[in-house]
Amino acid sequence: MATTDFGSLPRENPCAQCGKPIAVPEWVEAGPRRTSYLWRCRACDYRFEAVAFFDQSEPDREALAA
């Protein structure tokens, strides 16, 4: 059974449309050197994607962007 570490999810990302905070992403997809997040604002129903890119040469570092 797969487990998800909810402690590492980004939280309270502002909506790209209205600016209201969004508690957690609706969808998370991890790939090589990147993680994609799908956000949906419940206030205005706007959806957008944010991608975090990781530096391959330094695997222990945080995301460069989110």
Side-chain angles (χ1 to χ4, degrees), residues 35-59:
T35 301
S36 299
Y37 302 95
L38 178 64
W39 298 89
R40 183 173 73 85
C41 179
R42 296 191 186 271
C44 69
D45 205 35
Y46 185 71
R47 293 174 191 232
F48 62 97
E49 182 178 359
V51 181
F53 293 94
F54 300 94
D55 186 353
Q56 183 178 359
S57 64
E58 297 182 36

Side-chain angles (χ1 to χ4, degrees), residues 6-64:
F6 291 108
S8 66
L9 284 177
R11 297 182 183 282
E12 301 302 319
N13 193 37
C15 173
Q17 179 88 8
C18 72
K20 301 263 188 202
I22 304 171
V24 293
E26 192 171 74
W27 183 267
V28 178
E29 183 178 325
R33 298 179 16 218
R34 63 128 185 101
T35 301
S36 299
Y37 302 95
L38 178 64
W39 298 89
R40 183 173 73 85
C41 179
R42 296 191 186 271
C44 69
D45 205 35
Y46 185 71
R47 293 174 191 232
F48 62 97
E49 182 178 359
V51 181
F53 293 94
F54 300 94
D55 186 353
Q56 183 178 359
S57 64
E58 297 182 36
D60 293 337
R61 297 222 19 189
E62 293 292 317
L64 297 175

